[in-house]
Amino acid sequence: MEKVYLIGGLRSHIGLTGGLFKTVPAEELAAAVLQKIMAKYPFVLQADGLLCGNAVGTGGNITRLAALKAGLPATIPALTIDMQCASAAASIELAMTKIGSGMADILIAGGFESTSMQPVRVYAKADARYREEGFTVAQFSPDTTSAKAMLEGAERTCQKHGFTREELDAFAVRSHRLAKKAREENRLNEIVVSVFGSEGDEGIRDRMSPKLAARMPKLFTEEEVKELLAGDSASLPIKESVDKQNVLQEQKIAVMPLLTAANACLMNDGAAFVVLASRQAVEQYGLRPEAELLAGFEWGVDPRYSPEGAIETGAHLLQRCDLQPQQIDVFEYNEAFAVISALFARKYPKLTARYCPWGGALAYGHPYGASGAILLLHLWQELKQTEGKLGLLSIAGAGGLGTALLVKKC
């Protein structure tokens, strides 16, 4: 394959649902950041395409709409990719593949999301899933139509691996502390732009502490957790010899709900894009590469435990590249839930200082379709401002999926 270079990129501030960008449609938010991209990297007017993730938008090829609103030349094609939370990372991986195979020289990739302006959809009346009130969350797995499928998967994963509330909350506190420090030290100034009057990432809680985390509300009741775990032997904290189904039904054991408003990320709005180029484009336009994208990988896991996708996909990419974990200087895994952080710490206990060193999605937020690009932008800056050389990002997606990318600083 041809070499694929990261030239740069930008992201918006990240807002909470109903917050900074509460009246801004997703395509308008994307267009505003794309205009900043065009101003900073004018050669993108010669781009071969725009590839973007979007998970909960209005549908159609919303990336094309954003491109036209931004004023990109109409001759530049656009493609929307929906891999839910992994959409932007999948878009970047596809862009890397197109450039690496010689099909393109300059591509803009990333994603955008507005949960504030998320539409309500309605199944056809002939569909057994039809409800007059409609739905906002798509079906990700054949065994459930629950609107809380991702939260339920995170709770199951917490129970399966035997984590405690305190253990999970500690990662949430860590994330906010590190994000606050990065903000105070202006670590992200090069990649973050203000749009629609935004002044900062809205989700970082300066006062987050173990005491505050402990007071945050649980997202499930004990009975709801029991129902989730019923018949799911891998998740139950009792001996294999016991009839788990009956024990749960008879309520002979206590099940502590673990997911809370502190250790699960909130809903967010945001947009993020990176600019990728071939060696030919670098030479033609006199560009300065910031990093090289070495490899990408996608993997699937049991959708009932979708957070495991981030860990498993990252591990498989390392294996395919014949790398040991200790060779990676920075790991940017999407902290949609603290259980992902806890799984990383359990798998790589000696490498936790390299994990999301400036905080993760538990603090900044997780605008689904944009998060993979946000991870790459943060990873680039972390490698650039430290002595790091290799970085790995990985993100889980609804339905039990994951996308990972391996990056080398130039």
Side-chain angles (χ1 to χ4, degrees):
M1 288 183 63
E2 299 288 337
K3 289 190 175 183
V4 182
Y5 295 106
L6 171 69
I7 305 303
L10 297 169
R11 74 161 171 87
S12 68
H13 289 122
I14 302 171
L16 297 173
T17 301
L20 291 175
F21 308 120
K22 62 182 179 182
T23 61
V24 182
E27 64 273 14
E28 298 283 357
L29 183 55
V33 181
L34 284 170
Q35 287 171 345
K36 302 279 188 177
I37 289 280
M38 289 186 285
K40 187 170 183 177
Y41 308 102
F43 66 90
V44 300
L45 295 176
Q46 309 302 318
D48 299 300
L50 172 65
L51 312 177
C52 291
N54 185 264
V56 298
T58 53
N61 190 358
I62 192 172
T63 300
R64 175 63 169 174
L65 179 59
L68 294 174
K69 281 182 172 290
L72 278 169
T75 53
I76 296 178
L79 173 65
T80 304
I81 295 174
D82 182 359
M83 200 176 176
Q84 292 294 298
C85 303
S87 298
S91 299
I92 294 167
E93 184 191 30
L94 177 58
M96 180 184 68
T97 302
K98 287 175 71 69
I99 293 173
S101 65
M103 294 176 63
D105 285 305
I106 300 171
L107 288 169
I108 307 168
F112 52 98
E113 206 71 75
S114 172
T115 53
S116 294
M117 300 290 280
Q118 180 177 359
V120 176
R121 304 180 183 185
V122 181
Y123 286 111
K125 289 188 175 181
D127 194 313
R129 296 168 295 178
Y130 171 79
R131 299 292 183 275
E132 185 177 357
E133 66 273 16
F135 68 97
T136 56
V137 180
Q139 183 177 6
F140 303 130
S141 176
D143 64 337
T144 181
T145 58
S146 173
K148 296 182 178 180
M150 291 300 291
L151 295 174
E152 291 165 354
E155 181 69 51
R156 284 194 197 93
T157 306
C158 293
Q159 301 287 342
K160 173 183 175 181
H161 292 274
F163 294 118
T164 66
R165 166 82 179 268
E166 293 73 22
E167 192 174 4
L168 297 171
D169 285 353
F171 286 105
V173 173
R174 173 188 186 269
S175 190
H176 286 277
R177 173 176 55 82
L178 293 174
K180 177 186 175 184
K181 185 173 185 290
R183 183 190 61 201
E184 291 172 346
E185 296 176 353
N186 298 316
R187 296 289 188 176
L188 299 172
N189 281 12
E190 184 177 347
I191 61 166
V192 179
V193 293
S194 171
V195 291
F196 299 101
S198 64
E199 296 181 352
D201 294 320
E202 199 171 11
I204 302 173
R205 297 169 179 162
D206 291 354
R207 298 182 180 180
M208 178 59 72
S209 66
K211 287 185 178 180
L212 178 57
R215 293 199 300 267
M216 298 297 276
K218 299 173 183 177
L219 302 187
F220 294 101
T221 66
E222 182 178 330
E223 290 306 312
E224 287 172 331
V225 174
K226 286 183 178 181
E227 185 176 348
L228 280 179
L229 304 185
D232 190 356
S233 61
S235 296
L236 300 177
I238 50 181
K239 295 180 180 179
E240 291 295 325
S241 59
V242 179
D243 183 340
K244 299 176 178 63
Q245 179 76 28
N246 291 336
V247 169
L248 281 175
Q249 290 176 346
E250 295 170 13
Q251 300 183 357
K252 290 183 179 179
I253 62 169
V255 179
M256 178 66 70
L258 299 174
L259 218 62
T260 73
N263 60 48
C265 72
L266 303 177
M267 296 173 66
N268 301 96
D269 306 332
F273 305 96
V274 297
V275 180
L276 305 182
S278 66
R279 177 178 291 278
Q280 178 178 330
V282 166
E283 294 173 352
Q284 180 179 351
Y285 294 98
L287 307 178
R288 178 186 172 185
E290 295 286 344
E292 182 183 349
L293 274 62
L294 299 178
F297 187 68
E298 296 171 355
W299 191 249
V301 298
D302 188 330
R304 294 174 301 169
Y305 310 101
S306 55
E308 294 179 345
I311 306 302
E312 293 299 318
T313 307
H316 277 83
L317 180 56
L318 287 174
Q319 184 178 12
R320 286 174 66 90
C321 294
D322 196 25
L323 289 171
Q324 296 300 312
Q326 57 269 25
Q327 293 177 265
I328 302 299
D329 298 299
V330 180
F331 296 85
E332 272 289 330
Y333 283 27
N334 192 52
E335 280 187 330
F337 304 101
V339 67
I340 294 172
S341 310
L343 287 169
F344 181 93
R346 184 168 289 182
K347 190 172 183 67
Y348 308 118
K350 297 181 179 180
L351 301 177
T352 52
R354 306 182 190 184
Y355 172 85
C356 295
W358 294 350
L362 288 170
Y364 295 103
H366 173 30
Y368 314 128
S371 288
I374 293 170
L375 293 178
L376 180 54
L377 289 170
H378 285 208
L379 181 59
W380 160 34
Q381 290 297 301
E382 288 158 353
L383 291 174
K384 182 176 181 177
Q385 297 178 40
T386 67
E387 297 301 318
K389 190 68 175 178
L390 284 178
L392 178 69
L393 72 84
S394 189
I395 182 168
L401 296 170
T403 301
L405 297 168
L406 180 66
V407 181
K408 182 177 73 173
K409 181 175 67 177
C410 289

